[in-house]
Amino acid sequence: YPRNLTCSYHVFVLPGEVPSGKQALVSVSQPRSGRIWLEADQVEKYGQVDMSLGLWSECENVNDHVTAYDGPGLPGTAPPSPLIVFCRGGVVPQIVSSGPDMLVVFRTSPFSVPKVSPYSLNGFELEVDIKFVDVESESYVPKDRTTGAPECQFSFSSVGRQADIVESIHL
């Protein structure tokens, strides 16, 4: 793949394609090894070069990486929250958006010369999947109409009770 490159892939579901009472969620993954190879710093583990998936800060030095964002990333606005940053190779777990949009950005460094991939592919290949979940299910977290941020705020007070349980949302 070329140097000094930024490519954006907007994966989305049009509102008219979402069945009534459902919410679309976008996911990307790569369950097969050998379908990802992005140049990154070599890391040695147990005396061998680690070719597993590099995450977040492991991808900063050489700077060839893919970032998946939770939302569309509209021009002129701040980028959506990053879901994952990855480099090197290996299996990519399922990464799921909180709504009908995901922005995947592939960036390559202006410096360094990519080495030959230990796999058959230089670059990346991701599988895309669209899931329709019930709006009433625990798989869907509604978003604030003003900010677009997930409505994941809960309040507890001492009115009427002195003890209760706080637990995560179950997905």
Side-chain angles (χ1 to χ4, degrees):
Y1 53 85
R3 309 313 303 147
N4 200 21
L5 179 72
T6 299
C7 296
S8 299
Y9 307 85
H10 181 199
V11 183
F12 63 97
V13 178
L14 294 171
E17 295 177 346
V18 180
S20 178
K22 301 282 188 180
Q23 172 63 46
L25 303 179
V26 176
S27 71
V28 295
S29 65
Q30 183 45 265
R32 297 180 305 158
S33 185
R35 303 310 303 162
I36 305 280
W37 183 254
L38 303 173
E39 188 66 28
D41 281 345
Q42 287 192 352
V43 176
E44 277 203 26
K45 289 186 181 175
Y46 312 110
Q48 294 184 337
V49 174
D50 181 15
M51 294 190 306
S52 66
L53 196 67
L55 301 172
W56 300 98
S57 63
E58 293 178 306
C59 306
E60 291 175 354
N61 289 338
V62 172
N63 211 23
D64 291 1
H65 63 274
V66 171
T67 305
Y69 294 95
D70 192 15
L74 302 172
T77 64
S81 300
L83 297 167
I84 192 170
V85 177
F86 65 86
C87 58
R88 277 199 311 264
V91 171
V92 177
Q94 188 176 50
I95 304 153
V96 184
S97 69
S98 64
D101 290 277
M102 181 184 289
L103 178 66
V104 177
V105 178
F106 172 48
R107 287 192 176 93
T108 67
S109 172
F111 58 89
S112 86
V113 177
K115 296 175 181 64
V116 175
S117 166
Y119 305 114
S120 60
L121 177 74
N122 267 347
F124 71 96
E125 178 183 288
L126 294 173
E127 294 182 6
V128 176
D129 190 29
I130 308 296
K131 296 190 183 324
F132 295 102
V133 297
D134 291 329
V135 173
E136 301 299 322
S137 78
E138 293 175 340
S139 295
Y140 171 66
V141 178
K143 293 188 178 187
D144 183 281
R145 292 178 194 261
T146 307
T147 65
E151 288 182 355
C152 198
Q153 299 177 5
F154 305 94
S155 297
F156 293 89
S157 75
S158 60
V159 177
R161 56 185 145 183
Q162 294 178 340
D164 208 335
I165 296 174
V166 175
E167 61 183 336
S168 67
I169 293 177
H170 300 284
L171 299 179

